[in-house]
Amino acid sequence: MYALLAFLPILLSVVLMTVFSKPAKIVLPIAFLISALLGFFVWKMPPVAVLSATLYGVLSSIEVLFVIFGAILIMNTQKYSGGMDSINYGFTKISPDHRIQAIIISFMFGSFIEGAAGFGTPAALAAPLLVSLGFPPLAAAVVSLICDSSAVSFGAVGTPVAVAVSQVAEKASGNFLEGVTFYTAAAHGIMAIFVPILAVIVMTRVFGPEKSSKPALAVLPFALFAGLSFAVPYVLIAAIFGYEFPSLLAGLIGLVITIYAAKNKFLVPKTVWKFSEGETIVKSEKHINLFLAWLPYILIAAVLIITRLPALGIKDIINTNAKGIFLIQIPNLLGVEQLDFSLKWANVPGVLPFIPVAIATIFLHKMPAEKVRSAWSDTFRQIGGAAVAIVAGICLVQIMKFSDINTSGLHNMMAIMAEKVAATGKFLFVLISPVIGILGSFISGSNAVSNLLFTNLQFETAANLGLSQVLITASQIVGGAVGNIICINNIVAACATVGISGREGRIIRINIVPTLIYTVVIATFFAVLILL
């Protein structure tokens, strides 16, 4: 009964967005209101706890909103400066084929950015690039979300793995971290080989003029080559160097290899495939040097690496409370002890580097004042609808997460959902284990948050059932990454950056198929290892 009620806001959101095609900016506030009412009347949360959790959600949404705002601002600044036109022209020199461009930008460039920044940043950057190359906005969002999957578990320099292991470190034994890292990489590595072709198949079948898989199958050799170019170094780096660098370095290696291969037409189909005939390049009023056009993205990548790699020391500085400079703290929101809000503002990609780089681009590209005003006004206009959806969605998550602050003695809503899913017996639990991870990231919008919520539950359930805790923990982490494909927050962000807010339900309907395929593969992988 309680599990069904806990699922109610999520089920309602999915049904309203996918079946009735209602926009997230309408659906998520309704879902939040229902969760608040359930928290108050069923879970017996004190009114101050409901209000405090809501305030916590509003404050937490600042990070996501800055990422979206910064990504849109970069896109609009590039558009009005003429930089995007030069980038478009540069990509036609690598390959004018939209299938090849999708693989290089969404999968390779996206995986590299995921490794550096995570938290929905890749889709927010890759989707606008694809749109500028002539992709339909909906297709750009769908492809970018599908491709931002295999790299997620080691995103933000391995944050999801670090969070998961930290939850059970005191109870784990032996080479637990090494084992979890390797099996997480191995599971993703198998599927990463096929993610590029899977994304292209969805792209051509759903959005192509032929509505057929044939154009995708024509690029199969290149897509598999691209998948291997990422998957092989990905697994090797995880096995040799640990959890911090697999996505970052494999994305960079794969990006270099695939660009070189595409320029030299290695495994590239002779027939060029595009969404529409003719040039997609819009000639700008002034010519921007290709290096200068790419310089904002080079600066973004450089700053992300410098501020995320522990070995360089900057990460430690901006993650500590250096006299309050880099850390904003509000303890005991509204007097509720469990709710301590903190924001490491310098660690938010939207704050550093997106917005500063967008400002620097004004001077690098010598933009006139009227173009700058247009870029900023467009950005504020585009983020409006997304802001409502994101704030409501994050408030919903916080109500569910902190609903154990109650007088009823019930666990929080998320724990009750996960416990119900886990209470299925040994064999089914192995198959359902990654689904718990998917559920967590689908709701919360983050693999790291999914691991924070459910790793301990998975670990303890594995112990009770006599299953490998290393493999079940890895299953949780991998599932959390797969949920990224259909996670509501990421979909809202991707839609906002390409100007199609309100189409979130359509994306969930499309992306549920690749999500199921990914889930079947990883569930089978872990089931074979655990049960045989």
Side-chain angles (χ1 to χ4, degrees), residues 16-141:
L16 287 177
M17 283 194 287
T18 58
V19 178
F20 295 97
S21 298
K22 298 297 182 183
K25 66 181 180 181
I26 293 176
V27 172
L28 291 180
I30 294 172
F32 158 69
L33 180 60
I34 291 173
S35 70
L37 292 173
L38 287 172
F40 180 70
F41 288 107
V42 179
W43 267 257
K44 307 297 182 185
M45 295 176 67
V48 68
V50 175
L51 291 174
S52 182
T54 302
L55 178 59
Y56 191 97
V58 172
L59 294 172
S60 298
S61 67
I62 293 172
E63 179 175 351
V64 181
L65 290 173
F66 265 110
V67 170
I68 300 171
F69 180 85
I72 297 173
L73 184 61
I74 288 285
M75 177 188 69
N76 286 333
T77 302
Q78 287 278 65
K79 181 176 72 174
Y80 281 102
S81 75
M84 199 62 79
D85 293 342
S86 296
I87 289 173
N88 291 347
Y89 181 74
F91 265 108
T92 62
K93 292 301 182 184
I94 295 172
S95 174
D97 195 307
H98 281 161
R99 298 166 298 184
I100 304 297
Q101 292 171 357
I103 292 169
I104 292 174
I105 295 174
S106 287
F107 187 68
M108 292 304 182
F109 177 67
S111 293
F112 169 70
I113 294 299
E114 178 65 46
F119 299 102
T121 307
L125 284 178
L129 272 176
L130 294 180
V131 170
S132 73
L133 289 165
F135 284 62
L138 194 60

Side-chain angles (χ1 to χ4, degrees), residues 150-154 184-186 188-189 192 230-239 246-247 250:
S150 300
V152 171
S153 290
F154 298 106
T184 298
H188 275 312
F230 174 82
V232 172
Y234 179 83
V235 176
L236 290 176
I237 291 165
S247 296

Side-chain angles (χ1 to χ4, degrees), residues 299-320:
L299 290 174
I300 287 171
V303 173
L304 288 172
I305 292 171
I306 291 169
T307 57
R308 265 59 173 183
L309 289 182
L312 299 179
I314 304 297
K315 181 179 180 180
D316 290 335
I317 294 174
I318 65 176
N319 277 281
T320 58

Side-chain angles (χ1 to χ4, degrees), residues 99-276:
R99 298 166 298 184
I100 304 297
Q101 292 171 357
I103 292 169
I104 292 174
I105 295 174
S106 287
F107 187 68
M108 292 304 182
F109 177 67
S111 293
F112 169 70
I113 294 299
E114 178 65 46
F119 299 102
T121 307
L125 284 178
L129 272 176
L130 294 180
V131 170
S132 73
L133 289 165
F135 284 62
L138 194 60
V142 165
V143 169
S144 297
L145 288 161
I146 294 171
C147 288
D148 188 23
S149 50
S150 300
V152 171
S153 290
F154 298 106
V157 201
T159 297
V161 172
V163 168
V165 172
S166 69
Q167 302 307 301
V168 295
E170 294 180 359
K171 295 174 281 188
S173 59
N175 298 322
F176 183 77
L177 175 58
E178 291 79 3
V180 168
T181 298
F182 174 76
Y183 286 111
T184 298
H188 275 312
I190 292 170
M191 194 58 204
I193 298 170
F194 305 101
V195 166
I197 189 60
L198 182 61
V200 175
I201 287 173
V202 172
M203 184 178 81
T204 61
R205 278 189 64 86
V206 179
F207 302 103
E210 311 92 339
K211 297 292 189 291
S212 168
S213 300
K214 288 183 179 180
L217 296 178
V219 82
L220 177 63
F222 183 88
L224 293 178
F225 172 75
L228 285 166
S229 298
F230 174 82
V232 172
Y234 179 83
V235 176
L236 290 176
I237 291 165
I240 298 170
F241 298 106
Y243 69 91
E244 292 174 319
F245 305 110
S247 296
L248 182 71
L249 294 182
L252 181 60
I253 292 168
L255 185 62
V256 172
I257 291 173
T258 50
I259 287 177
Y260 181 80
K263 288 188 72 171
N264 289 277
K265 303 189 184 308
F266 178 68
L267 300 177
V268 174
K270 292 181 180 179
T271 303
V272 173
W273 185 90
K274 303 176 82 169
F275 283 102
S276 60

